Every structure is written in C-alpha cells, then in structure tokens.
Amino acid sequence: MKNTPLKKPKKQLPSKLSGIQEKDNTLYFIFFLLLLTFCAYLPVLKASFLIEWDDPDYVSNNLLIKNFSKIGELLTTPIQGNFHPLTMLSIAFNYAISGENAWSYHLLNVILHIANTYLVYKFSSRLSKENFIISFTTAMLFALHPMHVESVAWVAERKDVLYSFFFLLGLISYINYISSLSRKSYLFCIVWFSLSLLSKPSAVIFPVALFTIDLFYSRKFSLKLVTEKIPFFLFAAIIAYHRLYTQSNVGVTDSGENFLLAQRIFFMFYGFMMYFFKMLFPINLNAFYQNPLINHDLPIIYYLSPIFFLLVLILCILNRKKYNVIAFGFSFYFVNLFLVLNLFIMGSAILAERYTYIPYIGLFYIIGWAIDRWQKHNFKGAVMYLLPLSIVLAILTYNQAATWKNSKSLWEHAIKVNPNYQVYKNMAFIYFKEKNSDKEIECYNEALKFNVGDAELYCNRGNIYLKKRMFKEALIEYNTSLSVNPNFTKAIANRGSLFAMQGKYELALADFNKTINLSPELKLNFKNRALVYYKLEKYYEAIKDFYKFLEFEPDNMAILNSIGECYQALNQNDTAISVFNKVILIRPEANFYLNRSISWYALGNINEARKDAIKARESGGVLSESYAKTLGI
C-alpha cells in the first residue's frame, strides 16, 4: 500500500493561553525555560575534571586533542573503544580555548543541553500539532529533570549531549518527511543521523526509534515503511560492527559473562522499571549503581519487575486505538533504553543516569499530554502547576549539579546516598592522589564489605603496605588478590617488585616472567625484569629486556644508560662507550659523563677519563674522593 503524506496540521494553538492569543507570545515562556535551565546548571561551570573517571582519557592524557596537526588521527582513533570523531573534535576545540581548565568544556555541555531543550520543544510541538502545553511540559521536564545532570555535568559525556543534538534534528526531519514525503527532508534525516552516529555509537537505535513515530501517526505497516529505513540500518550496522571490533581490540569486556541469561532478562525488566520510578521520584541520585553481587540471589524486586513491564504493555494495548500517545511514549522510552538494559552487553553498573537522556522524552510527552487533557487545553490552568514544578526541578537539578563540583564531592555524595564497592574504590583513588594512605585503606576496607571478589581491591591495599615497607602485610594482600584472580597481572607484577625489594630475586624473576607471558604489552614489566636480571648478574638477559623497553620509549636515555652499565659489568667497555656516546649526545648529564669516564679508565685512556670526570663534576655530579685522586683532579 502506498504511503501518503500526512495532512498538515492547522497552524493553531489548541491550548488556550488565557489572554495571550498570539503564538509569538509563547516565546516568552520558552525564553524563561532556557534561562532557568542555564541557572540550574550554574554549579557545573565551576566544576573540574573527574580525575578517576574517563575525563583524563578524553582530555589531559589525550595527546591528539592538543595539536590540530594530528586532526586526521584524532578523527580516526577510537577512545576507550568508542569511535566518536565529532565528539573528540569538539573537545579539541575546547582544549584550544581553555587547555586543561575545565570551564569551557562544561560551558559547551550546558549550551548543548539548552539547544537540545529547544529541539525537544520543537519535536514535541510537531508531534502534538503545536499544542503548547504538551510541548512546553515535555521540554521543561527534559531541561530540568535531575536525572539528566550526569549527561551535562560530566565532560566525558559530551558525546551524550552532542549525539542527542543531531538525534533530535533527525527526528524532526523525519516528521517533516512523513508529513510531506519531501526527499529533501529525508536526506536531511540521514545527514543528521550520520552526524549523531559520529558523536556516539548509541545513535544506532535511531532507525528503530523512527518506527515509534510511525506508531504515533498510525502509519500502516507496509514494505515501503520498512525499505525507507534501510539506509539508516546500514549506517547503524557499520558503526555497530566498528564499535564491537575496536572494543575487542582494547580489551573491553562484558561483565555480563558473570551472570546467567535468565538473570540478565530480569536485569532488563528491572532497568525498565527503575528508570521509570527514578523519573517520578528523582531521589538518592548518584554516579554509580552497583550490579548485583556475583554468585548471590537477586533481590526480590528483580523478580517483581516483569510484572510492571506487563502492566505497562497491557496499558498500551488497551489504549492503542483511543490513546495511542501512551503506546508511543512507552515504546519510545523502551526502544531508546533497550541497548543499555544489560540484556546483551553489561557494564559495571546496573543503572546509569545518563542513559535516560533521550528515552525520557517519551515519558515526558505522556505527562504533557495528560496535563493538557486534565486542564482541558487551558494553559492558564496548566501553568499554575508547571511553573512551581519547574522551580522545584530547577532546585533539585542545581543541588545535584553541585555534587559534580569535583571528584571528591561526587563520591562523598554517592557514599552518603548509596554506598557500594565502586564508590568506595573511587574515593580511595582520591585519597591516593592526596597521599592520605590511612583514609585510602579505610575506603578499601569498606569496599570489600560489598564485594570480596574484586582482586584489584586487595592488590591496591597491598600497594599501600608496600610503600610503607610493610612487606608481610603486602604479601598477604597480593596473595589474596591472586586467590581471587590467579592471572591478575598487577598483583603478580607488584608481588614481583616486593620480592625484588627483599632481595628475593629468583622469586621476583618468576613473577615478572609470568606477567610478561600474560601481558606482553605492559612495558614496565620488561624494565623490572631487566633490573632483576642485573641483580642476578645475567647481563645479556638484562640488555635484551632494556632494549625491549626502549621499543615502547625510544627516547628514554636512562634506560639506554643502564644498557651501557650492563656492558661495563661484562667488561665490554668499548661497547659501553658507544652506548654512553648516544646518551650524552641527547642528554649531557653528570651521571652519564661519569659512567663514560669509568669505561675510559677501564680501557686505560686516562686523558678521556679525566675529561669526562671534570664534565661530570661541572654538571653537578659527585666523584668519589679515591676516583678523583686517581685521575689527579
């Protein structure tokens, strides 16, 4: 059956504005909303980066954003297994503006959120045939709901607000297309979708979301209805494949392998239900919602959650013909949540507030529609409730945004409202940066009350004892870590360092051999094993490992100097001198001159030995009294 364009809605406002009859006057309400949104997010503008979460990977540790001559590499290199070149380009512009000062990054996030708010208003207005109560309510809830703070306040979630900007433009273009069957609108829809994909891979769900709009407009299912989505599915498939490929290459794992498929089905229903209740009751919000503990029975609420899903499904079916807006709103909500409901791929958290950014639009639209029906299209009556609600939500959002001031405030808040092992683990990292080892240990102790199966927690606690030279306690922690995960390379390597510090070089060598077999990409293990070989007087093996380390850091002159020292120990001073020559050519430092002086002396070239010794002393080096006397200086 051939699809025909939808009838153009009459340009009128079904909602009565009580004395404000001209459509242009609605701009005052929109301006008020956008201004209120900006004010609600003011705390974000003074926020810093999150040092223990993804922000360093995106900014401070990301060399690609710091030089526009590498723009080609910037646009083709995945970050943390995610390919989002437009997001990285926007962050590069922020770096050009404010470097490692976070204000411009946060400002752009807020600006994008305000722009998205306006697009949500336009999208809802098109859906509702310019019903101002529905469109304003939907936009107001989107703008000021505290569940959206994470998407705006977290620099690394630039991808969320940016992909949503293009996603919403694509939805609006699709409505334009089905209203007129305009080829131009269809092409624009593809363009916006493509830009959304290049901002965040989550946009792959876009073509499925288009079917929810078809549902809203009661478009009859046909072959054309499907074929018009084919270009979108093709682009989505390419990005989905690329993401899976890049994540497998960087070692991103699916934590869902620890849970049975039956459990994960309950996770999906639980997420569907809990995101809905968090929308109604945005309390105890925090940055991390812990997965259920492995090898434990699920809480009863998980088993009850399918009942909620079934009730929603019945509600949609029963009202499909009379009130299809309910079916649209919940289907839009479900479709856009589906990929993050932990059925197929699980992260480290059962819920994440940022995942509601687009999906909540469907629920907000239902609320706007319900208020419009309740007030019988009377905006004056609706505004009596909407304005106070907007103020309350703005205050909640302001307070929630304030918790994102810095890493410490974020995790202190999380510990107060929902303590779990990950928030204590993150808080421990803050104390590690502050060099407060006692508080760091306290956090690890608390984290282990929630999760005794995290090998990293024991390892990190062992590292603190190692720094305090409490070797017995450190060894216990490393061994406990390895009892949880026998192949945890950090624990093996750190235990090797412990043995080396105790002079137990054979035991240290065994640990370093194992870590290199397990993780040959970890450069530090080659350096550590080389130092152990040196102590064991296995100089050729040490030289081999030092050169392997140089493959990772070819400009590390200290390592090249250590190679020269190995040749000295082998009494191959000619070779040692050739190595020291390379070192001194790049870094003419006292210690390197002194080492070359010693090799010259061993070869009987007293004049060269004396020259280098003098240069070493002039560079601030300290010569032993006996060696200086031998050289006559």
Side-chain angles (χ1 to χ4, degrees):
M1 180 177 179
K2 186 176 180 181
N3 283 314
T4 57
L6 301 175
K7 293 181 180 179
K8 280 193 173 183
K10 295 179 181 180
K11 295 195 173 183
Q12 59 182 7
L13 291 177
S15 49
K16 299 173 185 177
L17 295 182
S18 184
I20 306 176
Q21 297 298 326
E22 292 80 12
K23 182 179 176 180
D24 291 343
N25 288 332
T26 62
L27 293 176
Y28 291 114
F29 292 97
I30 298 301
F31 178 77
F32 164 78
L33 174 60
L34 300 183
L35 180 61
L36 184 61
T37 303
F38 181 79
C39 292
Y41 278 97
L42 282 176
V44 170
L45 302 182
K46 297 181 180 179
S48 60
F49 296 114
L50 300 182
I51 60 175
E52 80 301 334
W53 249 7
D54 297 347
D55 285 354
D57 289 343
Y58 280 81
V59 184
S60 57
N61 297 338
N62 187 357
L63 298 178
L64 298 179
I65 69 167
K66 300 177 181 181
N67 189 343
F68 274 104
S69 65
K70 296 184 178 180
I71 192 160
E73 192 175 352
L74 173 69
L75 296 177
T76 55
T77 303
I79 301 296
Q80 296 186 330
N82 289 313
F83 179 64
H84 35 47
L86 288 186
T87 294
M88 298 316 303
L89 184 62
S90 72
I91 290 176
F93 278 113
N94 278 128
Y95 187 86
I97 294 170
S98 63
E100 295 188 21
N101 189 316
W103 71 265
S104 77
Y105 302 82
H106 288 299
L107 178 60
L108 184 51
N109 275 18
V110 173
I111 291 172
L112 283 168
H113 179 60
I114 290 173
N116 289 340
T117 297
Y118 183 73
L119 291 177
V120 168
Y121 168 75
K122 296 299 291 184
F123 171 64
S124 305
S125 181
R126 292 304 310 273
L127 282 178
S128 64
K129 298 182 179 179
E130 303 184 30
N131 182 303
F132 190 70
I133 294 177
I134 296 176
S135 53
F136 180 81
T137 303
T138 307
M140 182 270 288
L141 292 171
F142 175 87
L144 299 173
H145 201 287
M147 281 287 282
H148 285 171
V149 169
E150 182 173 283
S151 293
V152 183
W154 188 7
V155 170
E157 276 308 298
R158 166 68 54 75
K159 51 186 177 287
D160 218 23
V161 289
L162 187 61
Y163 107 88
S164 298
F165 177 77
F166 296 117
F167 196 97
L168 289 164
L169 285 171
L171 293 178
I172 294 169
S173 293
Y174 185 70
I175 295 175
N176 292 338
Y177 161 67
I178 62 177
S179 297
S180 62
L181 294 186
S182 163
R183 181 174 296 183
K184 181 179 178 181
S185 295
Y186 182 78
L187 292 176
F188 266 117
C189 187
I190 292 177
V191 170
W192 297 133
F193 168 56
S194 301
L195 295 175
S196 187
L197 280 173
L198 296 176
S199 301
K200 187 178 181 180
S202 297
V204 295
I205 204 65
F206 181 85
V208 184
L210 297 184
F211 282 110
T212 68
I213 297 177
D214 294 333
L215 174 67
F216 179 84
Y217 283 112
S218 300
R219 297 182 75 197
K220 291 186 178 181
F221 190 79
S222 65
L223 181 61
K224 186 178 188 302
L225 203 66
V226 176
T227 56
E228 68 185 12
K229 311 293 192 304
I230 289 177
F232 300 95
F233 279 112
L234 288 176
F235 282 119
I238 293 170
I239 291 297
Y241 173 79
H242 187 271
R243 187 190 186 201
L244 291 173
Y245 175 77
T246 54
Q247 290 199 337
S248 63
N249 280 351
V250 299
V252 175
T253 57
D254 176 13
S255 63
E257 64 187 13
N258 298 314
F259 299 98
L260 300 174
L261 177 60
Q263 290 177 306
R264 294 171 70 156
I265 291 173
F266 283 109
F267 293 165
M268 180 184 71
F269 291 126
Y270 175 80
F272 180 88
M273 180 181 70
M274 288 308 299
Y275 283 125
F276 178 83
F277 282 106
K278 284 288 183 181
M279 185 269 294
L280 294 178
F281 308 104
I283 56 176
N284 292 337
L285 305 186
N286 71 92
F288 188 84
Y289 297 83
Q290 180 180 332
N291 276 331
L293 295 180
I294 301 170
N295 299 323
H296 284 67
D297 291 334
L298 294 179
I300 188 66
I301 189 68
Y302 283 81
Y303 297 110
L304 295 176
S305 59
I307 298 175
F308 175 79
F309 182 86
L310 183 61
L311 291 174
V312 169
L313 184 60
I314 293 172
L315 177 68
C316 293
I317 293 173
L318 292 180
N319 291 279
R320 170 68 183 91
K321 292 184 178 180
K322 189 174 181 181
Y323 303 124
N324 76 327
V325 64
I326 296 176
F328 159 74
F330 274 108
S331 62
F332 188 92
Y333 166 69
F334 178 66
V335 161
N336 284 286
L337 266 182
F338 183 71
L339 294 178
V340 293
L341 287 177
N342 295 324
L343 178 61
F344 299 111
I345 299 176
M346 284 194 66
S348 56
I350 189 67
L351 303 174
E353 292 165 14
R354 62 189 178 275
Y355 293 154
T356 68
Y357 196 71
I358 287 290
Y360 270 180
I361 296 172
L363 299 182
F364 295 157
Y365 191 89
I366 294 176
I367 294 173
W369 168 81
I371 291 174
D372 180 59
R373 286 184 57 83
W374 172 43
Q375 291 299 314
K376 299 179 180 178
H377 313 305
N378 181 5
F379 183 76
K380 184 178 180 180
V383 80
M384 297 294 292
Y385 297 93
L386 292 177
L387 288 183
L389 178 60
S390 68
I391 299 299
V392 170
L393 288 175
I395 293 172
L396 291 175
T397 291
Y398 184 94
N399 291 335
Q400 182 65 15
T403 68
W404 288 77
K405 178 181 179 182
N406 53 48
S407 294
K408 193 169 187 178
S409 64
L410 180 66
W411 299 118
E412 283 178 341
H413 172 74
I415 287 173
K416 288 179 183 177
V417 300
N418 185 21
N420 57 67
Y421 87 93
Q422 186 64 48
V423 299
Y424 277 113
K425 189 175 178 181
N426 289 346
M427 196 68 218
F429 182 79
I430 306 303
Y431 287 125
F432 166 76
K433 300 294 286 187
E434 294 179 353
K435 299 185 177 2
N436 190 337
S437 58
D438 291 338
K439 284 288 188 180
E440 189 181 353
I441 287 179
E442 285 181 18
C443 286
Y444 287 130
N445 292 343
E446 291 297 323
L448 285 167
K449 292 179 182 179
F450 291 93
N451 185 5
V452 296
D454 189 336
E456 189 174 11
L457 295 176
Y458 299 104
C459 179
N460 290 348
R461 197 162 62 177
N463 295 342
I464 300 171
Y465 291 132
L466 185 63
K467 288 179 183 178
K468 293 175 175 286
R469 302 189 71 82
M470 298 168 64
F471 297 140
K472 181 180 178 181
E473 291 81 358
L475 182 59
I476 291 172
E477 296 294 341
Y478 293 140
N479 287 339
T480 304
S481 176
L482 292 172
S483 70
V484 175
N485 181 357
N487 293 326
F488 187 45
T489 54
K490 286 183 180 179
I492 301 170
N494 292 344
R495 188 177 65 178
S497 297
L498 166 62
F499 288 141
M501 291 171 69
Q502 292 179 305
K504 300 176 181 179
Y505 298 119
E506 292 294 345
L507 291 174
L509 183 61
D511 275 346
F512 291 136
N513 285 339
K514 187 173 182 179
T515 57
I516 288 172
N517 288 334
L518 289 171
S519 302
E521 74 282 358
L522 300 178
K523 62 183 179 181
L524 191 60
N525 290 325
F526 289 102
K527 177 183 176 181
N528 289 337
R529 190 172 70 173
L531 294 172
V532 170
Y533 277 136
Y534 187 89
K535 291 292 185 179
L536 291 171
E537 298 183 359
K538 297 181 178 182
Y539 301 116
Y540 286 115
E541 290 87 345
I543 290 169
K544 184 178 178 181
D545 273 355
F546 279 134
Y547 272 120
K548 185 66 179 178
F549 182 85
L550 283 175
E551 291 179 11
F552 297 98
E553 292 186 16
D555 298 327
N556 193 319
M557 294 299 102
I559 294 298
L560 196 57
N561 177 68
S562 296
I563 293 172
E565 290 176 342
C566 287
Y567 283 117
Q568 277 184 332
L570 289 166
N571 202 28
Q572 297 180 19
N573 285 287
D574 284 330
T575 306
I577 287 173
S578 67
V579 173
F580 294 137
N581 287 342
K582 295 176 183 177
V583 175
I584 291 170
L585 184 65
I586 298 174
R587 281 177 55 189
E589 295 181 2
N591 184 50
F592 304 152
Y593 279 118
L594 181 57
N595 276 342
R596 191 170 69 175
S597 171
I598 292 170
S599 285
W600 282 124
Y601 181 81
L603 290 172
N605 193 331
I606 306 301
N607 287 334
E608 291 298 327
R610 185 180 295 113
K611 289 179 184 178
D612 274 349
I614 292 171
K615 288 180 180 178
R617 178 181 284 174
E618 290 174 349
S619 300
V622 179
L623 280 66
S624 68
E625 187 175 336
S626 59
Y627 187 61
K629 185 176 181 181
T630 299
L631 295 177
I633 57 176

